PDB file of all heavy atoms in Angstrom:
ATOM      1  N   VAL A  50      11.080  14.578  -6.169  1.00  0.00           N
ATOM      2  CA  VAL A  50      12.305  15.366  -5.952  1.00  0.00           C
ATOM      3  C   VAL A  50      12.079  16.814  -6.371  1.00  0.00           C
ATOM      4  O   VAL A  50      12.412  17.750  -5.627  1.00  0.00           O
ATOM      5  CB  VAL A  50      13.482  14.755  -6.728  1.00  0.00           C
ATOM      6  CG1 VAL A  50      14.704  15.677  -6.664  1.00  0.00           C
ATOM      7  CG2 VAL A  50      13.831  13.376  -6.190  1.00  0.00           C
ATOM      8  N   ARG A  54      11.949  20.190  -3.905  1.00  0.00           N
ATOM      9  CA  ARG A  54      12.907  21.275  -4.160  1.00  0.00           C
ATOM     10  C   ARG A  54      12.176  22.589  -4.442  1.00  0.00           C
ATOM     11  O   ARG A  54      12.565  23.650  -3.940  1.00  0.00           O
ATOM     12  CB  ARG A  54      13.805  20.903  -5.341  1.00  0.00           C
ATOM     13  CG  ARG A  54      14.926  21.903  -5.603  1.00  0.00           C
ATOM     14  CD  ARG A  54      15.740  21.501  -6.816  1.00  0.00           C
ATOM     15  NE  ARG A  54      16.344  20.188  -6.649  1.00  0.00           N
ATOM     16  CZ  ARG A  54      16.264  19.212  -7.550  1.00  0.00           C
ATOM     17  NH1 ARG A  54      15.620  19.383  -8.677  1.00  0.00           N
ATOM     18  NH2 ARG A  54      16.870  18.058  -7.316  1.00  0.00           N
ATOM     19  N   PHE A  68       8.217   4.866   1.512  1.00  0.00           N
ATOM     20  CA  PHE A  68       7.393   3.928   2.261  1.00  0.00           C
ATOM     21  C   PHE A  68       8.128   2.589   2.356  1.00  0.00           C
ATOM     22  O   PHE A  68       9.098   2.329   1.625  1.00  0.00           O
ATOM     23  CB  PHE A  68       6.032   3.742   1.581  1.00  0.00           C
ATOM     24  CG  PHE A  68       5.086   4.894   1.794  1.00  0.00           C
ATOM     25  CD1 PHE A  68       4.956   5.898   0.846  1.00  0.00           C
ATOM     26  CD2 PHE A  68       4.328   4.977   2.946  1.00  0.00           C
ATOM     27  CE1 PHE A  68       4.095   6.962   1.035  1.00  0.00           C
ATOM     28  CE2 PHE A  68       3.455   6.034   3.162  1.00  0.00           C
ATOM     29  CZ  PHE A  68       3.338   7.030   2.201  1.00  0.00           C
ATOM     30  N   GLU A  84      -2.784  -0.239   6.292  1.00  0.00           N
ATOM     31  CA  GLU A  84      -2.421   0.112   7.663  1.00  0.00           C
ATOM     32  C   GLU A  84      -0.933   0.479   7.763  1.00  0.00           C
ATOM     33  O   GLU A  84      -0.575   1.436   8.460  1.00  0.00           O
ATOM     34  CB  GLU A  84      -2.748  -1.043   8.612  1.00  0.00           C
ATOM     35  CG  GLU A  84      -4.241  -1.282   8.814  1.00  0.00           C
ATOM     36  CD  GLU A  84      -4.927  -1.891   7.592  1.00  0.00           C
ATOM     37  OE1 GLU A  84      -4.237  -2.601   6.799  1.00  0.00           O
ATOM     38  OE2 GLU A  84      -6.124  -1.647   7.409  1.00  0.00           O
ATOM     39  N   GLU A  95       6.101  12.585  12.421  1.00  0.00           N
ATOM     40  CA  GLU A  95       6.656  12.696  13.768  1.00  0.00           C
ATOM     41  C   GLU A  95       8.182  12.835  13.725  1.00  0.00           C
ATOM     42  O   GLU A  95       8.767  13.625  14.489  1.00  0.00           O
ATOM     43  CB  GLU A  95       6.233  11.484  14.594  1.00  0.00           C
ATOM     44  CG  GLU A  95       4.739  11.494  14.914  1.00  0.00           C
ATOM     45  CD  GLU A  95       4.202  10.126  15.288  1.00  0.00           C
ATOM     46  OE1 GLU A  95       5.013   9.184  15.472  1.00  0.00           O
ATOM     47  OE2 GLU A  95       2.965  10.004  15.399  1.00  0.00           O
ATOM     48  N   SER A 138     -10.314   8.511  -5.429  1.00  0.00           N
ATOM     49  CA  SER A 138     -11.328   8.704  -4.396  1.00  0.00           C
ATOM     50  C   SER A 138     -11.463   7.488  -3.492  1.00  0.00           C
ATOM     51  O   SER A 138     -12.172   7.538  -2.481  1.00  0.00           O
ATOM     52  CB  SER A 138     -12.688   9.019  -5.037  1.00  0.00           C
ATOM     53  OG  SER A 138     -13.062   7.984  -5.930  1.00  0.00           O
ATOM     54  N   ILE A 164       5.312  -1.714 -12.648  1.00  0.00           N
ATOM     55  CA  ILE A 164       4.537  -0.472 -12.562  1.00  0.00           C
ATOM     56  C   ILE A 164       5.431   0.663 -13.026  1.00  0.00           C
ATOM     57  O   ILE A 164       6.435   0.974 -12.378  1.00  0.00           O
ATOM     58  CB  ILE A 164       4.037  -0.223 -11.130  1.00  0.00           C
ATOM     59  CG1 ILE A 164       3.095  -1.348 -10.685  1.00  0.00           C
ATOM     60  CG2 ILE A 164       3.321   1.130 -11.053  1.00  0.00           C
ATOM     61  CD1 ILE A 164       2.571  -1.175  -9.278  1.00  0.00           C
ATOM     62  N   PRO A 182     -12.174  -0.460   1.990  1.00  0.00           N
ATOM     63  CA  PRO A 182     -12.087   0.923   2.490  1.00  0.00           C
ATOM     64  C   PRO A 182     -12.340   1.985   1.422  1.00  0.00           C
ATOM     65  O   PRO A 182     -11.939   1.841   0.268  1.00  0.00           O
ATOM     66  CB  PRO A 182     -10.646   1.014   3.007  1.00  0.00           C
ATOM     67  CG  PRO A 182     -10.264  -0.385   3.309  1.00  0.00           C
ATOM     68  CD  PRO A 182     -10.946  -1.212   2.259  1.00  0.00           C
ATOM     69  N   THR A 204      -5.086  10.271 -17.492  1.00  0.00           N
ATOM     70  CA  THR A 204      -5.527   8.983 -18.030  1.00  0.00           C
ATOM     71  C   THR A 204      -5.292   7.832 -17.055  1.00  0.00           C
ATOM     72  O   THR A 204      -5.659   6.697 -17.344  1.00  0.00           O
ATOM     73  CB  THR A 204      -4.787   8.665 -19.348  1.00  0.00           C
ATOM     74  OG1 THR A 204      -3.378   8.667 -19.111  1.00  0.00           O
ATOM     75  CG2 THR A 204      -5.120   9.702 -20.417  1.00  0.00           C
ATOM     76  N   GLN A 217     -17.684  15.265  -1.411  1.00  0.00           N
ATOM     77  CA  GLN A 217     -17.816  14.683  -0.083  1.00  0.00           C
ATOM     78  C   GLN A 217     -17.144  15.508   1.003  1.00  0.00           C
ATOM     79  O   GLN A 217     -17.573  15.480   2.159  1.00  0.00           O
ATOM     80  CB  GLN A 217     -17.219  13.273  -0.061  1.00  0.00           C
ATOM     81  CG  GLN A 217     -18.019  12.245  -0.832  1.00  0.00           C
ATOM     82  CD  GLN A 217     -17.399  10.863  -0.699  1.00  0.00           C
ATOM     83  OE1 GLN A 217     -16.438  10.535  -1.382  1.00  0.00           O
ATOM     84  NE2 GLN A 217     -17.933  10.066   0.200  1.00  0.00           N
ATOM     85  N   PHE A 224     -10.454  23.365  -5.426  1.00  0.00           N
ATOM     86  CA  PHE A 224     -10.042  22.506  -6.537  1.00  0.00           C
ATOM     87  C   PHE A 224      -9.396  23.369  -7.610  1.00  0.00           C
ATOM     88  O   PHE A 224      -9.933  24.411  -7.988  1.00  0.00           O
ATOM     89  CB  PHE A 224     -11.237  21.760  -7.142  1.00  0.00           C
ATOM     90  CG  PHE A 224     -10.896  21.064  -8.442  1.00  0.00           C
ATOM     91  CD1 PHE A 224     -10.151  19.891  -8.442  1.00  0.00           C
ATOM     92  CD2 PHE A 224     -11.299  21.595  -9.656  1.00  0.00           C
ATOM     93  CE1 PHE A 224      -9.815  19.261  -9.637  1.00  0.00           C
ATOM     94  CE2 PHE A 224     -10.982  20.972 -10.854  1.00  0.00           C
ATOM     95  CZ  PHE A 224     -10.231  19.806 -10.841  1.00  0.00           C
ATOM     96  N   ARG A 236       6.747  16.994 -16.553  1.00  0.00           N
ATOM     97  CA  ARG A 236       7.507  18.162 -16.996  1.00  0.00           C
ATOM     98  C   ARG A 236       7.874  19.055 -15.811  1.00  0.00           C
ATOM     99  O   ARG A 236       7.017  19.402 -14.985  1.00  0.00           O
ATOM    100  CB  ARG A 236       6.708  18.944 -18.033  1.00  0.00           C
ATOM    101  CG  ARG A 236       6.497  18.157 -19.318  1.00  0.00           C
ATOM    102  CD  ARG A 236       5.516  18.828 -20.260  1.00  0.00           C
ATOM    103  NE  ARG A 236       5.925  20.181 -20.627  1.00  0.00           N
ATOM    104  CZ  ARG A 236       5.235  20.951 -21.461  1.00  0.00           C
ATOM    105  NH1 ARG A 236       4.117  20.497 -22.016  1.00  0.00           N
ATOM    106  NH2 ARG A 236       5.673  22.168 -21.754  1.00  0.00           N
TER     107      ARG A 236
END
Side-chain angles (χ1 to χ4, degrees):
V50 172
R54 186 182 300 130
F68 284 97
E84 290 72 27
E95 290 160 9
S138 57
I164 298 180
T204 57
Q217 290 183 280
F224 169 75
R236 295 171 58 179

